[in-house]
Amino acid sequence: MSRILIVEDEVSIAELERDYLELSGFTVEIETDGKAGLERILQEDFDLLILDLMLPEVDGFEICRKVREVKNLPIMMVSAKKEDIDKIRGLGLGADDYITKPFSPSELVARVKAHMARYERLVGSNTPVNETIEIRGLRIDKTARRVWINGEEKNFTTKEFDLLTFLAQNPNHVYTKEELFKKIWDMESIGDIATVTVHIKKIREKIEMNTAKPQYIETIWGVGYRFKV
Ligand code: CA
């Protein structure tokens, strides 16, 4: 969920902004003086800052400048004076938007959404996305090598993970125990195809509600196993 910090000394305005933003699904925090606001924005992870210009202790100019030195989150500056807005634009402090009071709350929300979407696209493009497989309640994160069943994480050994992932990646395909053994254990000659049976049993104990009636890995009698989708 996206978190927004409002630094605004006029409490009624801050609360109005917060109420509208919360209705749009944002989590909103308020600070009413510049010093506390600056500390929080530097120390915590917010996704957007709504910053009033005239503030006690530390003003919006100073906050914007300091935040920009270390963070690239969107900053929307708010002022009652049109002249101030023109002035801060000229200063090139790095704010992303400027709003003159009074403004309509719905306009504020629309602008916040637009900046948030743009910022997420920017940040998102730099963040590597983990490769995951999701089938019903089962979630396999191949990059992190982690497995969840209905939101609960389960611990898998390396081979259990490899076997489950291989089957889940190739659903509706029946593999013999020999094929699976060759595939997962490869050239390791220790063990035999009974190892496959043992590992399937352990995987089922972790992911199946009822191991007697498997929902994911089916036994095809006399042939092998198939991952059901
Ligand atoms: Ca003010």
Side-chain angles (χ1 to χ4, degrees), residues 48-99:
L48 186 137
L49 171 63
I50 297 175
L51 183 58
D52 182 33
L53 194 57
M54 290 307 157
L55 290 163
E57 304 283 342
V58 184
D59 69 21
F61 292 103
E62 186 70 7
I63 293 174
C64 187
R65 197 177 58 73
K66 289 219 163 111
V67 171
R68 263 295 164 266
E69 284 173 6
V70 286
K71 297 206 172 197
N72 63 352
L73 83 167
I75 302 176
M76 296 174 63
M77 297 204 74
V78 177
S79 174
K81 289 184 192 160
K82 176 82 173 60
E83 311 87 80
D84 285 341
I85 296 285
D86 293 338
K87 196 170 136 199
I88 50 175
R89 268 186 208 279
L91 285 173
L93 290 170
D96 296 85
D97 205 352
Y98 308 90
I99 302 177

Side-chain angles (χ1 to χ4, degrees), residues 8-10 52 54:
E8 167 68 72
D9 57 327
E10 286 170 76
D52 182 33
M54 290 307 157

Side-chain angles (χ1 to χ4, degrees), residues 110-191:
R111 290 207 199 180
V112 164
K113 282 183 176 171
H115 285 292
M116 207 76 101
R118 192 179 55 83
Y119 181 61
E120 275 165 12
R121 277 200 304 278
L122 276 173
V123 173
S125 62
N126 295 328
T127 311
V129 176
N130 282 14
E131 198 184 335
T132 59
I133 301 169
E134 292 196 58
I135 299 157
R136 297 188 297 277
L138 175 68
R139 181 161 174 268
I140 303 169
D141 185 328
K142 285 179 63 189
T143 316
R145 296 183 66 90
R146 296 170 73 182
V147 179
W148 291 263
I149 186 79
N150 298 322
E152 191 190 335
E153 186 168 7
K154 301 282 179 177
N155 289 317
F156 281 70
T157 64
T158 304
K159 293 300 180 196
E160 287 166 8
F161 182 88
D162 291 344
L163 182 56
L164 172 66
T165 304
F166 176 75
L167 287 168
Q169 280 186 134
N170 300 282
N172 278 337
H173 185 126
V174 182
Y175 290 95
T176 65
K177 289 175 191 173
E178 288 81 1
E179 283 173 321
L180 292 172
F181 185 71
K182 194 167 182 295
K183 200 86 201 163
I184 306 302
W185 280 264
D186 196 27
M187 300 310 284
E188 295 170 32
S189 53
I190 309 159

Side-chain angles (χ1 to χ4, degrees), residues 6-11 14 30-34 36-37 55-56:
I6 297 172
V7 186
E8 167 68 72
D9 57 327
E10 286 170 76
V11 176
I30 295 173
E31 285 298 336
T32 53
D33 81 75
L55 290 163

